[in-house]
Amino acid sequence: MERQMTINMPQSISNRLSSTFSKITERLNMPIKKLSSYYAMVLERDINSKQTWALLEAQAAFFLGILPIGYAFIVRLAALVWLLIALKRCKELL
């Protein structure tokens, strides 16, 4: 004989959890939305969050390749490869 057990959660708790989760997600995405609007203003076109992340990745790869002067050649080479991949992704998305 098969037994099944269900757990009923009061609707108010479920609604509060859902509301809290959506508020947290919205607050975590706010800096990306603001940065997207900044990029949209600079590039004079609409930019979504995926394109914003691609631009941020390209910038991070660029600065990782330029700023650390004392890094080994292999690290700089890896940063260059990362930069090329990030630029290719930006070109595809933009």
Side-chain angles (χ1 to χ4, degrees):
M1 185 176 289
E2 187 177 319
R3 293 183 181 185
Q4 294 181 352
M5 191 166 81
T6 59
I7 298 174
N8 294 328
M9 190 176 358
Q11 191 67 20
S12 62
I13 294 174
S14 175
N15 287 343
R16 279 190 284 168
L17 286 175
S18 176
S19 174
T20 302
F21 183 72
S22 66
K23 285 180 185 177
I24 290 172
T25 304
E26 183 180 323
R27 286 185 181 148
L28 289 175
N29 286 332
M30 186 158 314
I32 295 300
K33 287 181 182 179
K34 289 192 182 276
L35 196 56
S36 292
S37 66
Y38 171 74
Y39 283 148
M41 182 184 66
V42 169
L43 296 174
E44 297 178 349
R45 59 182 294 187
D46 290 334
I47 302 293
N48 62 23
S49 61
K50 190 173 185 178
Q51 293 168 331
T52 302
W53 279 109
L55 288 169
L56 284 173
E57 180 184 0
Q59 289 174 351
F62 177 75
F63 286 118
L64 181 67
I66 293 217
L67 288 181
I69 295 171
Y71 279 3
F73 177 73
I74 192 75
V75 175
R76 287 189 177 270
L77 187 61
L80 177 65
V81 170
W82 181 30
L83 176 63
L84 293 176
I85 292 170
L87 288 175
K88 183 180 176 189
R89 187 174 303 132
C90 281
K91 185 177 179 180
E92 291 171 357
L93 290 175
L94 295 175

